[in-house]
Amino acid sequence: MILPVPDTGPVLVIAPHPDDEVLGVGGTIARLSRAGREVHVCIATRGRVERFGQEQVDTVRREARAAHDILGVEHTHWLDHEAAALDTEAHGDLNRSLADLVKRIGAQVLFVPHVGDIHLDHQLVFLSAMVAARPAQQQYPAAIFAYETLSETNWNAPYLTPPFVPNVFVDISETLDTKLAAFSAFASQVRPSPAERSISALSALATLRGATVHRHAAEAFVAIRQCY
Amino acid sequence: MILPVPDTGPVLVIAPHPDDEVLGVGGTIARLSRAGREVHVCIATRGRVERFGQEQVDTVRREARAAHDILGVEHTHWLDHEAAALDTEAHGDLNRSLADLVKRIGAQVLFVPHVGDIHLDHQLVFLSAMVAARPAQQQYPAAIFAYETLSETNWNAPYLTPPFVPNVFVDISETLDTKLAAFSAFASQVRPSPAERSISALSALATLRGATVHRHAAEAFVAIRQCY
Amino acid sequence: MILPVPDTGPVLVIAPHPDDEVLGVGGTIARLSRAGREVHVCIATRGRVERFGQEQVDTVRREARAAHDILGVEHTHWLDHEAAALDTEAHGDLNRSLADLVKRIGAQVLFVPHVGDIHLDHQLVFLSAMVAARPAQQQYPAAIFAYETLSETNWNAPYLTPPFVPNVFVDISETLDTKLAAFSAFASQVRPSPAERSISALSALATLRGATVHRHAAEAFVAIRQCY
Amino acid sequence: MILPVPDTGPVLVIAPHPDDEVLGVGGTIARLSRAGREVHVCIATRGRVERFGQEQVDTVRREARAAHDILGVEHTHWLDHEAAALDTEAHGDLNRSLADLVKRIGAQVLFVPHVGDIHLDHQLVFLSAMVAARPAQQQYPAAIFAYETLSETNWNAPYLTPPFVPNVFVDISETLDTKLAAFSAFASQVRPSPAERSISALSALATLRGATVHRHAAEAFVAIRQCY
Amino acid sequence: MILPVPDTGPVLVIAPHPDDEVLGVGGTIARLSRAGREVHVCIATRGRVERFGQEQVDTVRREARAAHDILGVEHTHWLDHEAAALDTEAHGDLNRSLADLVKRIGAQVLFVPHVGDIHLDHQLVFLSAMVAARPAQQQYPAAIFAYETLSETNWNAPYLTPPFVPNVFVDISETLDTKLAAFSAFASQVRPSPAERSISALSALATLRGATVHRHAAEAFVAIRQCY
Amino acid sequence: MILPVPDTGPVLVIAPHPDDEVLGVGGTIARLSRAGREVHVCIATRGRVERFGQEQVDTVRREARAAHDILGVEHTHWLDHEAAALDTEAHGDLNRSLADLVKRIGAQVLFVPHVGDIHLDHQLVFLSAMVAARPAQQQYPAAIFAYETLSETNWNAPYLTPPFVPNVFVDISETLDTKLAAFSAFASQVRPSPAERSISALSALATLRGATVHRHAAEAFVAIRQCY
C-alpha cells in the first residue's frame, strides 16, 4: 500500500480447527478470492475419532469443504495434528509441519489465530506460525495478521493474557453475506443466539468492526509483522 | 454479590459530554432505575456558546433531559467545565468539583469514562474521578467501573494507549430498547449508519457484548476498584 | 452489589496445592462462611509419595482438613493431579476435572490462583479454570477472582510476566485471626520470619492491603470476570 | 498489499521538530519519492526566537529545506506552534491545525512520532495526529505508522511508558545513503559519535533494523491503524 | 555491583512534596548516609500559602528538616514550584529546574517518584526527571530508580495506568527504625491506622517488601535505567 | 553501586544453546573477566546427534570452548538437556538442574535469556532460571539480568509477547573486539550479512546500544531483580 510491493502471491490462512478460518477471516478470504488472489487454508488439527466419533469428524471435514468452496478457497491443507492435544506433542513437530507448508506454497501473507485466545491449541498454533515465518532468510511471508475467533478470543483473562486490540480493518461490506453463508455451511458448529457462535453474533461483530472505520461491515486483525 | 454488601446507595455516572452516559451505561442505568436504585448523572462539561452557538448548547441539554427521563435518572448534575478544553484549566479544579459531588450525594458506585478514550476530556475526567474516589478515609465509593463510548474508545492507538478489555458484563436484554430510545432522544448526536454513533452500531455492540456471556444484550465495563 | 444478583450459590476456591487457598483467600472464606455462604475448596494436585514420602503427603492433607475446619469450608475436593508435574499431563485432562467440579457443585463464584505466579502449576490451574468457567452456555460462574499467594506471586519476572495489581479488596478485619489460625494449622508449611510464608509476612500483607482501602485488614484480588 | 488498495494518494510525515522526519522516515520518504509517490512533510513547531535566536531558527529551517530537497519531499508545511511548549497551548488548537492539513492535502498515509518518546512535544503531536485521523467519516488516512527518533525514543522509561516495538519494516537498502546525506544537511543537529544523533548511530540503526528482516538496511515502524 | 563502578558520587532523591522521600526512600537514605554516601533531597513543590496558610507551609518545612536530619540527608533543595498545580506551568520549566540541580550537584544516582502514582504532580516530576537525566552527553546519572509512596502508588487505576512492580530491593533491617522516626517527625502528615499514611502501614510495607527477598525489612524500587 | 555490596562472587551466564551467551553477554563477560571476576557459562542443551550428526554437535562444542577461552570464561557447564525439545521433558527437571548449578557455584549474578525470545527453549530456560533463583532462603543470586539474542529476540510477536526494552547498559567499548572475535570462533553459527547472526549486525547492535547511553559500544539488558 505504501510502496509498489508485490500484490500477487499466495495467501495462507492457518486455522487450529475447522471453522476458525471462517469466523475470523471468511469475509476477507472471499474478497481476496474475488479479486483473483490465491488463498490457501490450513487446518492444523483433526478431531480424535475416539472422542468425537468418525461421523462427526467426517461431517466437519465435509462442512469445511463446502464452506471453503463458498469462499473461493484455492486449496485446503489438512495437517492432522490431534485436536485439543497440541500440548502433548513436541512443539518442534508443529513448527516443522507449518514451516514446510509455508515454504512449499510460497505464502506471501499469513493469517494466524490470536495468541491470547483461550484455547491452548490457538496459542500453540500462533507460536509455531511465528517460527515458521521467521525472516531468517531471503524469502519469508511479507505480512502476518492475527484474526479474532468468536468463542475463543473474548473468553481469556482480560489484562492478564494478551489482548486482541484490532489495528487492521478490511472492508467486507460486499462479502459479509458470503461469509455468513460459509459459516452456515458449518451446520454442526453454528449455535443459536445468544451464543457467540451464532449468526447474529457474527453479524454484530462485522457491523461493529465496520462502524469503527465507517464501513458497513469489516473484519479486524492485529498487525504482527509487515516487510516491504 | 460475594458478601451481603449494601445494595442500596446512590449510583453516579460521570460523563465528559452529554450522551456518553447513554452510549456507555444507558441499559444499566435503566435496569438499576427499574430495580429502584437511585441513579445520578454528572455531565462534566458544557459546549462553548461561541463555538457551537447557544441554540446547539440548549438543544443538547434538552435532549439530555429527555434521554435521562427515559432512562429513569434521578438527578442530572451539570458541572459546566468547558468542553474540549479541560486541559486548559487546572487539573485540581476538576478534581475538586467531582470530589464535591461524589461526597455530597454519597455515591456508592461510580461509572467513569475509559482513560484510553481518544478524547482528552475523557482521559482527564477519568483521572479526576479516580482522585475524587480515593479510599483515603472511611467513606468512599465502593465500586468503580469504566464504560466504553462508541466514537471514542475504539479510535485511540492500539497497544500504545490503555486498551478497553471488558471484564464486567451487565445483562441489558430487558432494557436495550430503552437505551436505544434514550439515545434516539439525542437527535443532534445520532448519526446514520455506518457511523459508530448510529443506532445500528450501538445495537451491534449490545449484541456482541451479550453474546460473549451468552445473553441477548449486555453492556460491558472494566472493573477499576471494588471494596467489600 | 450493583444489581439484585443472587447472593446465594456456592463459592469455589481452587488451589494448586494445599495452603494456597489459605494464603490467598483464608480471611474471605471465613467471612463468607460466617455469613452463611457455602464455600468449597478444590485442591488440584497431591504430592508424589515417591518424592515427599507418604507421611508428608498425609500430614499436609490432615493439616488442610484442620485449616478448612477452622475457616468453615463446607467441602474439600481433592483432584489428585500430580504436584509440580501438571505440565507433563495433557492440559485437557485438567480442564475436564475442573469443569466437571464447577458444574457438579454449580459454583457461582470462583477464586483462582494468579496466572503470573512463578509456579507453573499455578499458571496451568489458572488457565484450566478459565476454560472450565467459559460462559459458553446459560449457566456458568458469575464471578471469577484471582488471589495472590505469598512465595509465588512476588517471585516471577516484573514487567515480563503478568503482574498482580489488586483491584478488589475484601475487608477481613473480623476474620484475620481466623485466617492466621488456619495457616498455623499448616505447621509443615509455615516458615519462620523473614520468609514470605511466615505469620509476620502474612499479617503484614493483610495490614497493607487493608490500609490501601482504609481498613484494618483485607485480602486483595484481581477481577477476572463478572456477569450480572 | 493484501487487496488492490489505492497505491496513490499523498503521504504525510508529521514531525514535531525539524529533523525528526529525517531520523525516522528519511529512507522511506526517499524510496516513496523515487517511486513517484507524493510526499508531504509537516513540521509542527518552530523554535522560539527569544530562546534560540533568529539565526539558529533560520538555520534549521534552511537545513530542513535542503534535506527535504535531497529526499524528494513534494511540499513542507510549517505549522509554527511553539517548540518545547505544546503543553502550554490548548490541545484543541494542535488538533485543529493537524486536522486541517490532513484534510486539505487528502493524506492517505500518515507517519507520526511515537507516543512513548521522551519529549512531551512528540507525545502531544502523536495524540493530536490520532484525533486528526479519526475514521469518523467516509474519508480519512487509510494507514498510520509511528516512527522512531534517535535521541527521543530510547530515552523514556522502559516498561512504564509505551514501548516502541517495531512491526513494520521498510527496506531502505537503496536509499540509506540519501537518508544519511539528508541528515548531514542538518549540520546544526548532527552530533559526533557516540551521540545518538550521530551518523554512525543512524547507520547502525538502519543495519540492525534491516538485519531483523534479512535486508541490508531498513526503517522500522509501529503499525497504528490500517483500513483496506 | 557487577563491575567496579564508582561507588562514590552524590545520590539525589526527588520528592514532589515533602515526606514522599521519607515514605519511599527513608530507609535507604539512612543506610546510604551511614555508609558515608552523600545524599541530597530535592522537594519539587511548596504548598500555596493562600490554600494551606503560612503556618502549615512553615510547619511542613520544619518537619522536613527534622526528618532529613534524622536520616542524615546532606542537603535539601527546595525548588518551590507550586504544589498540586504543576500542570498549570510549562513542563519545560520543571525540566530545567531539575536538570540544573542534577548537573550542579553531579548526581550519580536518582530516586524518583513513580509515574503511575495517582497524583499528577508525581507523574510530572517523574517525566521531568527523565528529561533531566537523559544520557545525551558524557555525564549523566548512572542509575535511576522509582520509589513507591503510600497514599499515592496504590490508588491509581490497576492495569490502565503504569503499575509499580518492584524489581530492586534494598535491605533496611538496620534502618527501619530510623525511617519510622523520620516519618514520625512529619507529625502533620502522619495519620492514624488504618490510613495508608500510618506508621502501621509503613511498617507492614517494609515487612512485606523484606519478606519477598527473605529479609526483615526492605524498601522496593523499580529499575528505570542503569549504565555501567 | 548504590551500597557497598559484595563486588565479588561468581557470575553465571545461562545459555539455552551454545553462542547465545556470546551474542548477548560476550562483551560483558570479557569485561568482567578482565576485572578479575569469576564468570561461569552454563549451556542448557545439546543438539541431538540423530538430527545434527555427531560431527556438528562436536564442532559446536569445540567452537564454544574456543569462544569461552577468548572471553576468559572460568568454567563452562554443559547440562545436556535435549535442544529444541525442552517442552517434551518435565519442567521440574530443568528447574532442578539449574537450581543445583546455581547453588553449587554460589552464583551472585545471573544473566538469563529473554522470556520473550521466539525460541521456546529460551522461554523455558528463563522460567526455570527464575525458579532456580527464588529468594526463598538466606542465600540466592543478588542480581538477575536478561540479555538479548540476535535471531531470537526480535522475531517474536510485537506487543503480544513480552518485549525486550533494555534498561541496563554495560559499556563494552574496550571489549567489543573480543566479543566479535569470540563470535567469529563460532564459525558454524556465523552467517553472512544481512543475516541477524552476522558480524555486521552484531556490531551495529553494539553501536546502537552504546549510542543510547553515549558510549561507543554497549550490551543492553533488562533488569529482572536486584537485592542489596
Side-chain angles (χ1 to χ4, degrees):
Chain A
M1 197 207 56
I2 310 177
L3 291 167
V5 290
D7 276 336
T8 56
V11 173
L12 175 61
V13 180
I14 300 176
H17 317 100
D19 90 347
D20 292 328
E21 75 286 8
V22 180
L23 289 167
V25 200
T28 300
I29 293 173
R31 189 173 158 199
L32 287 165
S33 168
R34 289 188 194 178
R37 200 76 183 264
E38 180 185 325
V39 182
H40 295 246
V41 167
C42 155
I43 309 293
T45 69
R46 69 178 303 155
R48 278 174 291 175
V49 171
E50 53 272 37
R51 187 161 165 216
F52 296 100
Q54 186 68 49
E55 192 179 321
Q56 167 70 351
V57 171
D58 290 347
T59 296
V60 170
R61 191 157 294 202
R62 198 170 47 241
E63 292 173 345
R65 285 201 193 94
H68 295 180
D69 280 349
I70 292 171
L71 297 178
V73 171
E74 177 84 12
H75 195 80
T76 303
H77 307 263
W78 303 88
L79 299 190
D80 287 340
H81 293 268
E82 196 177 322
L86 284 180
D87 62 311
T88 63
E89 64 172 289
H91 191 58
D93 290 348
L94 182 57
N95 291 353
R96 265 184 298 278
S97 66
L98 286 175
D100 288 349
L101 179 62
V102 165
K103 189 173 180 186
R104 183 152 50 82
I105 67 174
Q108 286 299 302
V109 179
L110 292 190
F111 287 93
V112 298
H114 176 53
V115 68
D117 286 358
I118 195 173
H119 202 306
L120 191 53
D121 282 358
H122 285 233
Q123 300 167 29
L124 294 170
V125 166
F126 175 91
L127 295 172
S128 283
M130 290 303 294
V131 173
R134 278 180 305 180
Q137 296 180 302
Q138 180 67 17
Q139 296 298 327
Y140 49 80
I144 309 171
F145 302 97
Y147 58 83
E148 61 185 325
T149 308
L150 287 176
S151 79
E152 302 292 355
T153 306
N154 296 326
W155 289 349
N156 219 338
Y159 298 107
L160 295 179
T161 52
F164 184 90
V165 191
N167 50 22
V168 176
F169 297 81
V170 174
D171 186 339
I172 61 163
S173 303
E174 305 288 315
T175 57
L176 174 58
D177 288 348
T178 306
K179 173 180 185 167
L180 297 178
F183 184 52
S184 299
F186 269 106
S188 70
Q189 305 301 311
V190 177
R191 297 283 170 275
S193 175
E196 263 214 347
R197 279 172 171 277
S198 64
I199 296 290
S200 67
L202 198 54
S203 298
L205 180 63
T207 298
L208 180 67
R209 294 309 186 203
T212 295
V213 293
H214 210 85
R215 298 292 180 260
H216 285 286
E219 278 170 346
F221 306 97
V222 172
I224 304 297
R225 188 166 55 226
Q226 296 166 71
C227 307
Y228 294 94
Chain B
M1 198 206 54
I2 310 177
L3 291 168
V5 291
D7 276 336
T8 57
V11 173
L12 175 61
V13 179
I14 300 176
H17 317 100
D19 91 348
D20 292 328
E21 75 286 8
V22 179
L23 288 167
V25 200
T28 301
I29 292 173
R31 189 171 159 200
L32 287 164
S33 169
R34 287 187 194 178
R37 201 76 185 263
E38 181 185 325
V39 182
H40 295 247
V41 167
C42 155
I43 309 293
T45 68
R46 69 177 303 154
R48 277 173 292 173
V49 170
E50 53 272 36
R51 187 162 165 216
F52 296 100
Q54 186 68 49
E55 193 180 319
Q56 167 69 351
V57 171
D58 290 347
T59 296
V60 170
R61 191 157 293 202
R62 198 168 49 240
E63 292 173 345
R65 285 201 193 94
H68 295 180
D69 281 349
I70 292 170
L71 297 177
V73 170
E74 177 84 11
H75 195 80
T76 303
H77 306 264
W78 302 88
L79 297 190
D80 287 341
H81 293 267
E82 196 177 323
L86 283 180
D87 62 311
T88 63
E89 61 172 291
H91 191 58
D93 291 349
L94 182 58
N95 290 352
R96 266 184 298 278
S97 67
L98 285 175
D100 288 349
L101 179 62
V102 165
K103 188 173 180 185
R104 184 152 51 80
I105 67 173
Q108 285 297 303
V109 179
L110 292 190
F111 287 93
V112 299
H114 177 53
V115 69
D117 286 357
I118 195 173
H119 201 305
L120 191 53
D121 283 358
H122 284 233
Q123 300 167 29
L124 293 170
V125 166
F126 175 91
L127 295 171
S128 283
M130 289 304 293
V131 172
R134 278 181 305 181
Q137 295 179 304
Q138 180 67 19
Q139 296 297 328
Y140 49 81
I144 309 172
F145 303 98
Y147 58 84
E148 61 185 324
T149 308
L150 287 177
S151 79
E152 304 290 357
T153 306
N154 296 326
W155 289 349
N156 219 337
Y159 298 105
L160 295 180
T161 53
F164 184 89
V165 190
N167 50 21
V168 176
F169 297 81
V170 174
D171 185 339
I172 61 164
S173 304
E174 305 288 314
T175 56
L176 174 58
D177 288 348
T178 306
K179 173 179 185 168
L180 297 178
F183 183 53
S184 299
F186 270 105
S188 69
Q189 305 301 311
V190 178
R191 296 285 170 272
S193 177
E196 263 215 347
R197 279 173 170 275
S198 63
I199 295 290
S200 68
L202 199 54
S203 297
L205 180 62
T207 298
L208 180 67
R209 294 308 187 204
T212 295
V213 293
H214 209 85
R215 299 291 180 262
H216 286 286
E219 279 171 347
F221 306 97
V222 172
I224 304 298
R225 188 166 55 228
Q226 298 167 69
C227 307
Y228 294 94
Chain C
M1 198 206 57
I2 309 177
L3 291 167
V5 291
D7 277 337
T8 56
V11 173
L12 175 61
V13 180
I14 301 176
H17 318 99
D19 91 346
D20 292 329
E21 75 286 6
V22 179
L23 289 168
V25 201
T28 300
I29 292 174
R31 188 172 159 200
L32 287 164
S33 169
R34 288 187 194 177
R37 201 76 184 265
E38 181 185 324
V39 182
H40 295 246
V41 167
C42 154
I43 309 293
T45 68
R46 68 177 303 154
R48 279 174 290 174
V49 169
E50 52 273 36
R51 187 161 165 216
F52 296 102
Q54 188 66 48
E55 191 180 321
Q56 166 70 349
V57 171
D58 291 347
T59 296
V60 170
R61 191 156 292 201
R62 196 169 48 239
E63 291 172 345
R65 286 202 193 94
H68 295 180
D69 280 349
I70 291 171
L71 296 177
V73 171
E74 177 83 13
H75 195 80
T76 302
H77 307 264
W78 302 87
L79 299 190
D80 287 340
H81 293 269
E82 196 177 323
L86 284 179
D87 62 311
T88 62
E89 62 172 291
H91 191 58
D93 290 348
L94 182 58
N95 290 353
R96 266 185 295 280
S97 66
L98 285 175
D100 288 348
L101 179 62
V102 165
K103 189 173 180 187
R104 184 152 50 82
I105 67 173
Q108 287 298 303
V109 179
L110 291 190
F111 287 92
V112 300
H114 177 53
V115 69
D117 286 357
I118 195 174
H119 201 306
L120 191 53
D121 282 357
H122 284 235
Q123 300 166 29
L124 293 170
V125 166
F126 175 92
L127 295 170
S128 283
M130 290 303 293
V131 173
R134 279 181 304 181
Q137 296 179 302
Q138 181 67 19
Q139 297 297 327
Y140 49 81
I144 309 172
F145 303 98
Y147 58 84
E148 61 185 324
T149 307
L150 287 177
S151 79
E152 303 290 356
T153 306
N154 296 326
W155 288 349
N156 219 337
Y159 298 105
L160 295 180
T161 53
F164 184 89
V165 191
N167 51 21
V168 176
F169 297 81
V170 174
D171 185 339
I172 61 163
S173 303
E174 305 287 314
T175 57
L176 174 58
D177 288 349
T178 306
K179 173 180 184 166
L180 296 179
F183 183 52
S184 299
F186 269 106
S188 70
Q189 305 300 312
V190 178
R191 295 283 171 275
S193 178
E196 263 215 344
R197 277 170 173 278
S198 64
I199 295 291
S200 67
L202 199 54
S203 297
L205 180 64
T207 298
L208 180 68
R209 293 309 187 202
T212 295
V213 293
H214 209 85
R215 299 293 180 258
H216 285 286
E219 279 171 346
F221 306 98
V222 171
I224 304 296
R225 187 165 57 226
Q226 297 167 71
C227 307
Y228 294 95
Chain D
M1 200 206 53
I2 310 178
L3 291 166
V5 291
D7 276 336
T8 55
V11 173
L12 175 60
V13 180
I14 301 176
H17 318 99
D19 90 348
D20 293 328
E21 75 285 7
V22 179
L23 288 167
V25 201
T28 300
I29 292 174
R31 187 171 159 200
L32 287 164
S33 169
R34 289 187 193 177
R37 201 77 183 265
E38 178 185 325
V39 183
H40 295 247
V41 167
C42 155
I43 308 293
T45 68
R46 69 177 303 156
R48 279 174 291 176
V49 170
E50 53 273 35
R51 190 163 162 214
F52 296 100
Q54 188 66 48
E55 193 180 320
Q56 166 72 349
V57 171
D58 290 348
T59 296
V60 170
R61 191 157 293 202
R62 198 169 47 239
E63 292 172 344
R65 285 204 192 92
H68 296 180
D69 280 350
I70 292 170
L71 297 177
V73 170
E74 176 83 13
H75 195 81
T76 303
H77 308 263
W78 302 89
L79 299 191
D80 287 342
H81 293 269
E82 194 177 323
L86 283 179
D87 62 311
T88 63
E89 64 170 291
H91 190 59
D93 290 349
L94 182 58
N95 290 352
R96 265 185 297 279
S97 66
L98 285 175
D100 288 349
L101 178 62
V102 165
K103 189 173 179 185
R104 185 151 50 81
I105 67 174
Q108 287 297 304
V109 179
L110 292 190
F111 287 92
V112 299
H114 177 53
V115 68
D117 285 357
I118 195 173
H119 200 306
L120 191 52
D121 282 359
H122 284 233
Q123 300 168 29
L124 293 170
V125 166
F126 175 92
L127 295 171
S128 282
M130 290 303 293
V131 172
R134 279 180 305 181
Q137 296 179 305
Q138 181 66 20
Q139 297 297 327
Y140 49 82
I144 310 172
F145 302 98
Y147 58 83
E148 60 185 323
T149 309
L150 287 177
S151 79
E152 303 290 356
T153 305
N154 296 326
W155 289 349
N156 218 337
Y159 299 104
L160 296 179
T161 53
F164 184 89
V165 191
N167 49 22
V168 176
F169 298 81
V170 175
D171 185 339
I172 61 164
S173 303
E174 305 288 314
T175 56
L176 174 58
D177 287 349
T178 307
K179 174 180 184 166
L180 297 179
F183 183 53
S184 298
F186 270 106
S188 70
Q189 306 300 312
V190 178
R191 296 283 170 276
S193 177
E196 263 215 346
R197 280 172 169 277
S198 64
I199 295 290
S200 68
L202 199 54
S203 298
L205 180 63
T207 298
L208 180 67
R209 294 310 188 202
T212 295
V213 292
H214 209 85
R215 299 290 180 261
H216 285 286
E219 278 171 347
F221 306 97
V222 171
I224 305 297
R225 188 165 55 227
Q226 297 167 70
C227 307
Y228 294 93
Chain E
M1 199 207 55
I2 309 176
L3 292 168
V5 291
D7 277 336
T8 56
V11 173
L12 175 61
V13 179
I14 300 177
H17 318 100
D19 88 348
D20 293 328
E21 75 285 7
V22 179
L23 288 167
V25 201
T28 301
I29 293 173
R31 190 172 157 198
L32 287 164
S33 169
R34 288 188 194 176
R37 201 77 183 264
E38 179 185 326
V39 183
H40 295 246
V41 168
C42 154
I43 309 293
T45 69
R46 68 179 303 157
R48 279 173 291 176
V49 169
E50 53 273 36
R51 188 161 165 216
F52 296 100
Q54 187 67 49
E55 192 179 322
Q56 167 69 353
V57 171
D58 291 347
T59 296
V60 170
R61 192 156 293 202
R62 198 169 48 240
E63 292 172 345
R65 284 201 194 95
H68 295 179
D69 280 350
I70 291 170
L71 297 177
V73 170
E74 176 85 11
H75 195 79
T76 303
H77 307 264
W78 302 88
L79 298 190
D80 287 340
H81 293 268
E82 197 178 322
L86 284 180
D87 62 310
T88 63
E89 62 171 291
H91 191 58
D93 291 348
L94 182 58
N95 291 353
R96 266 184 296 280
S97 67
L98 285 175
D100 288 349
L101 179 62
V102 165
K103 188 172 179 186
R104 185 152 49 81
I105 67 174
Q108 286 297 304
V109 179
L110 291 190
F111 287 92
V112 299
H114 177 53
V115 69
D117 286 358
I118 195 173
H119 201 305
L120 192 52
D121 283 358
H122 284 233
Q123 300 167 30
L124 293 170
V125 165
F126 175 91
L127 295 171
S128 284
M130 291 302 294
V131 173
R134 279 182 304 183
Q137 296 180 303
Q138 180 68 18
Q139 295 297 328
Y140 49 80
I144 310 172
F145 303 97
Y147 58 83
E148 61 185 324
T149 308
L150 286 177
S151 80
E152 302 292 356
T153 305
N154 296 326
W155 289 349
N156 219 338
Y159 299 105
L160 295 179
T161 52
F164 184 90
V165 191
N167 51 21
V168 176
F169 297 81
V170 174
D171 185 339
I172 61 163
S173 303
E174 305 287 315
T175 56
L176 175 58
D177 287 349
T178 305
K179 174 180 184 167
L180 296 178
F183 184 52
S184 299
F186 268 105
S188 70
Q189 305 300 312
V190 178
R191 296 284 171 275
S193 176
E196 263 214 346
R197 279 171 170 277
S198 63
I199 295 290
S200 66
L202 198 54
S203 298
L205 180 63
T207 298
L208 180 66
R209 294 308 188 204
T212 295
V213 293
H214 209 85
R215 299 291 180 259
H216 285 286
E219 278 171 346
F221 306 97
V222 172
I224 304 298
R225 188 165 55 227
Q226 298 167 69
C227 307
Y228 293 95
Chain F
M1 197 207 53
I2 310 176
L3 291 168
V5 291
D7 276 336
T8 57
V11 173
L12 175 61
V13 180
I14 300 176
H17 318 99
D19 89 349
D20 293 327
E21 76 285 7
V22 178
L23 288 167
V25 201
T28 301
I29 292 173
R31 188 172 159 201
L32 286 163
S33 168
R34 289 188 193 176
R37 201 76 183 265
E38 179 185 325
V39 182
H40 295 246
V41 167
C42 154
I43 308 293
T45 68
R46 68 178 301 153
R48 279 173 291 174
V49 170
E50 53 272 37
R51 189 162 164 215
F52 296 101
Q54 186 68 47
E55 190 180 323
Q56 166 70 351
V57 171
D58 290 347
T59 296
V60 170
R61 192 157 292 202
R62 198 170 47 241
E63 292 173 344
R65 285 202 194 94
H68 295 179
D69 280 350
I70 292 171
L71 296 177
V73 171
E74 175 85 12
H75 194 80
T76 303
H77 307 262
W78 302 88
L79 298 190
D80 287 339
H81 293 268
E82 196 178 323
L86 283 180
D87 62 311
T88 63
E89 63 171 292
H91 191 57
D93 291 349
L94 183 57
N95 291 352
R96 266 185 297 279
S97 66
L98 285 175
D100 288 349
L101 179 62
V102 165
K103 189 172 178 186
R104 184 151 51 81
I105 67 173
Q108 287 298 302
V109 179
L110 292 190
F111 287 92
V112 299
H114 177 53
V115 69
D117 286 357
I118 195 173
H119 201 306
L120 191 53
D121 282 358
H122 284 233
Q123 300 167 29
L124 293 170
V125 166
F126 175 91
L127 295 171
S128 283
M130 290 303 293
V131 172
R134 280 181 304 181
Q137 295 180 303
Q138 180 67 19
Q139 296 298 329
Y140 48 81
I144 309 172
F145 302 97
Y147 58 85
E148 61 185 324
T149 309
L150 287 177
S151 80
E152 303 290 356
T153 305
N154 295 327
W155 289 349
N156 218 339
Y159 298 106
L160 295 179
T161 52
F164 185 89
V165 191
N167 50 22
V168 176
F169 298 80
V170 174
D171 185 340
I172 60 163
S173 304
E174 305 287 316
T175 56
L176 174 58
D177 288 348
T178 306
K179 173 180 185 167
L180 297 178
F183 183 52
S184 299
F186 269 106
S188 69
Q189 305 300 311
V190 178
R191 297 282 170 277
S193 177
E196 263 215 346
R197 278 171 172 277
S198 63
I199 295 290
S200 68
L202 198 55
S203 298
L205 180 63
T207 298
L208 180 67
R209 295 308 188 202
T212 295
V213 293
H214 210 84
R215 299 291 180 260
H216 285 286
E219 278 171 346
F221 306 97
V222 172
I224 305 297
R225 188 165 56 227
Q226 297 166 70
C227 306
Y228 294 95

